[in-house]
Amino acid sequence: EWFYCEYKASQTGLLDAAYLAQAKSMMTEDEYEQEFECSFTSSVKGSIFSKEIRAAYDDGRICRVHYDPSLPVHTYWDLGISDAMSLWFVQSVRSGEVRLIDYYEANGEGFPYYAQVLRERGYVYGTHWAPHDIQVRELSSGRSRLEVAKSLGITFAILPRVQDTKAGEVEEGIHAARMLFPMCWFDATKCAKGLDALTNYRRDYNQRLNEYKAT
């Protein structure tokens, strides 16, 4: 048996407001959240989605999220580098709520393996979404991964590429994700590895200049 209790400085009243204000002025926001507010994410220096994940914890949106058989499960794939892949399993409701019910990732496996993963999950699927680069043809076979997947019964819809604006393609994607976060509910157990990956998505740090890079 175990017991867990969390005491945030902002809620206990044990430290006066002047002390907390002084501490906040001397620390970065992440440092303050880690030391005084029991943050789960601020220990990852430069974490891009730390505020959003912290808010999800605080709002109780990281919890047990049940699969609803009356709703289709849409999958969202990240092809990653080389042959690494990650999959989010998502159900959406008319209110705009986005339920992330499951997550899976693996390295060194081909589409036959992931087709089996989909079957074993036993969900009723809606749309399988893939990034635009799934259309690239492999030199060895001359076939694209889109064609290989279709031959195995996985028909993908292709997400449009984020427009490369002045802010940059990656920054536009980060902004879009931040806008979506408040509507997201995550299953704490099945999405644990995905949440860990989101928490560790961070900006590179320039030790010489003591500042974060754009990358």
Side-chain angles (χ1 to χ4, degrees), residues 191-205:
C191 295
K193 290 185 73 174
L195 283 164
D196 185 56
L198 287 172
T199 300
N200 283 281
Y201 182 49
R202 60 192 184 274
R203 298 192 186 280
D204 198 4
Y205 191 74

Side-chain angles (χ1 to χ4, degrees), residues 115-130:
Q116 181 64 26
V117 169
L118 294 180
R119 287 192 293 270
E120 289 176 352
R121 286 298 195 273
Y123 299 133
V124 176
Y125 293 104
T127 304
H128 300 296
W129 291 97

Side-chain angles (χ1 to χ4, degrees), residues 59-130:
D59 296 344
R61 289 183 286 110
I62 297 176
C63 54
R64 180 73 177 95
V65 181
H66 295 280
Y67 165 55
D68 184 344
S70 69
L71 295 173
V73 174
H74 307 292
T75 63
Y76 293 82
W77 300 56
D78 182 0
L79 304 182
I81 299 171
S82 185
D83 56 356
M85 288 196 199
S86 59
L87 292 72
W88 287 97
F89 297 79
V90 182
Q91 292 188 298
S92 300
V93 297
R94 288 185 177 180
S95 65
E97 186 175 287
V98 179
R99 302 172 182 172
L100 294 104
I101 63 169
D102 206 346
Y103 174 85
Y104 189 84
E105 68 175 48
N107 290 281
E109 302 291 349
F111 271 110
Y113 176 85
Y114 294 100
Q116 181 64 26
V117 169
L118 294 180
R119 287 192 293 270
E120 289 176 352
R121 286 298 195 273
Y123 299 133
V124 176
Y125 293 104
T127 304
H128 300 296
W129 291 97

Side-chain angles (χ1 to χ4, degrees), residues 31-56:
E31 288 171 341
Y32 181 85
E33 290 291 331
Q34 181 183 351
E35 294 298 325
F36 291 96
E37 296 296 304
C38 308
S39 172
F40 289 94
T41 61
S42 294
S43 58
V44 180
K45 195 170 186 177
S47 174
I48 288 172
F49 297 126
S50 61
K51 289 183 182 179
E52 288 75 19
I53 295 174
R54 190 185 313 144

